[in-house]
Amino acid sequence: MQQQNILNSYISEVFLSIQGEGKYVGARQLFIRFSGCGVNCNGCDTDYNRKESFEFLGKKFFNPVDIKELSTFIKSSNILKEIHSISFTGGEPLLNDHSIEFIIDFLGDSTKYFLETNGFYLDRLEKIYKKLDIVSIDIKLNSTFDIRSNVEDLKNANFIEHKKSYFKLVIDKNINHDEIKSVIEMLKIKKFYEIYLHFKNNLIEFNLLDAIMKIFYSNSINVYYVPQTHKLMGFR
Ligand code: SF4
């Protein structure tokens, strides 16, 4: 796991684009992609490796990035009124929870704050949860990524509220009935009655999707299939 200093973080890229997944698909956001993850998903397609530098709106930033310098630049660039929200993404952004907190405190109510997390660093999420406006939480299944599932952890995370959070589930053809059952049980315990479903790499199998959707709906959970639109459209 990467080390961090309070006001310095390794950032892979900062860019303006359109949200391609989950409930807010289509929203124009400022993405801050932190380096590092701490989970080793089989088939991860995100480039969250450390880079020497990156460019944003014509300015070059060198890693580890001075978070105050980045926040000041974002504030002065005048882009906050042209976006839906700032998306903290990764990798796993919660490995840099102090930097996220600093950015939110620095920029204040000039925009909304959106976090995309893999759902494994729940203690860190709890610490900054109140400051965030929207939290997209991945449900990770062993069958899809060959890692430990986080469904049991999520069951016990009582601070997660429906009004600001939603769950995203990426599946592939290896999903099994017990996993679906455990996800439904977790959602019911938390009183969440909707979920956003993606197929890994957009390799959709319609009959499987249809069967899974039927199971969710028959358990009173609204499930929405969303293709990973940024991949379809060639966005970042
Ligand atoms: S949690 Fe996300 S970024 Fe991390 S390895 Fe898995 S797919 Fe990649």
Side-chain angles (χ1 to χ4, degrees), residues 18-57:
I18 295 168
Q19 177 59 242
E21 296 185 345
K23 189 172 183 173
Y24 290 84
V25 70
R28 184 173 195 260
Q29 296 182 309
L30 172 65
F31 291 81
I32 301 179
R33 186 185 305 288
F34 289 94
S35 307
C37 177
V39 180
N40 193 17
C41 295
N42 183 18
C44 171
D45 57 358
T46 309
D47 180 9
Y48 55 77
N49 291 323
R50 286 186 177 186
K51 297 178 173 63
E52 189 184 309
S53 63
F54 63 86
E55 210 170 291
F56 174 56
L57 296 180

